[in-house]
Amino acid sequence: MTSYSACIEMLFVPETADFAQRISLAKGAGFDRVEFWMWSNKDLDAIERALSDTGVQLAGIVAEPFAELTRETDHDRFLAGLEKSRDVALRLGAPILICQSGPLLAGVERARQHEALTSAMARSADVLQGSGVRLALEPLNDRVDHKGYYLTSTTEGLAICAAVNRPEIGLTYDMYHSMVMGEDPEAVLAGGLDHIFHVHIADHPGRNQPGSGTLPLKQKLAWLEAQGYAGPVGLEFKPTGTTADALAMMQGSLG
């Protein structure tokens, strides 16, 4: 049975500006996992208390800083931040850190950028080794949301994971971004599910709740589960109204 994680950067936002309180609201809505993006701009003490008080688990956070991992000269800065992100993840009980590739660099051969990104993941594995925290690189779409982003291909992301070949490194598979790029989840993930650490969903167009758009999310999630994916599915969508209404629409769409 699919286990959902509420992205509290997007869910429960209409209900409260108190970030830590969204954890309690998520618990009240039936979630046992939440996730969020940056940690450096949050009250970590309040978040830690809310997680402890509710018993909610933190599914993942973003590895800071955002960096141009397609550029080798930015790697040291990212790796220094990754050490801090790892320590925050351990403090809050998050097993996954999520990172982005950075931009497609003008005037640099794509093969060289691919090599730089692969190297960054290999070096990241060394930082995380033995900690129990894993890093999940995330392909994103450059057609709607992230113009100029480098890693738009799930296939390329899986190839990077295979080349690094370390248990600390995998992918966040965002079904919304993937299908906006014209990918079929069943095709691009075939044989690669061992590298998928985390999943995100939203509908298209609009990046709103499942049921608001046209993506066959129910079918594709059922396929993922049938293939053995047992990790959380992060609800990273913008509710079109209240969070409760959005979750009710999602329930009606996904069952």
Side-chain angles (χ1 to χ4, degrees), residues 10 140-149 174 176-178 180-181 202-208 236 238:
M10 303 179 98
L140 304 174
N141 83 79
D142 66 352
R143 296 181 177 178
V144 177
D145 300 284
H146 299 279
K147 303 291 186 182
Y149 188 71
D174 191 307
Y176 162 79
H177 288 300
S178 177
V180 167
M181 290 303 298
D203 216 333
H204 177 68
R207 200 179 180 185
N208 305 122
E236 196 179 52
K238 297 174 288 187

Side-chain angles (χ1 to χ4, degrees), residues 35 96 98-99 136-140 152-155 157-158 161 170-190 192-193 195-202 215 217 220-221 223-224 229 232-234 236:
E35 59 190 80
I96 298 295
I98 297 174
C99 75
L137 178 65
E138 187 172 20
L140 304 174
T152 61
S153 165
T154 301
T155 299
L158 290 171
C161 293
L171 289 189
T172 291
Y173 179 70
D174 191 307
M175 198 170 286
Y176 162 79
H177 288 300
S178 177
M179 287 198 276
V180 167
M181 290 303 298
E183 295 180 342
D184 175 11
E186 296 180 33
V188 296
L189 295 180
L193 275 179
H195 294 303
I196 303 302
F197 291 171
H198 195 62
V199 170
H200 284 153
I201 60 169
L215 297 184
L217 296 172
K220 301 307 181 183
L221 286 173
W223 177 84
L224 266 182
Y229 178 76
V233 173
E236 196 179 52

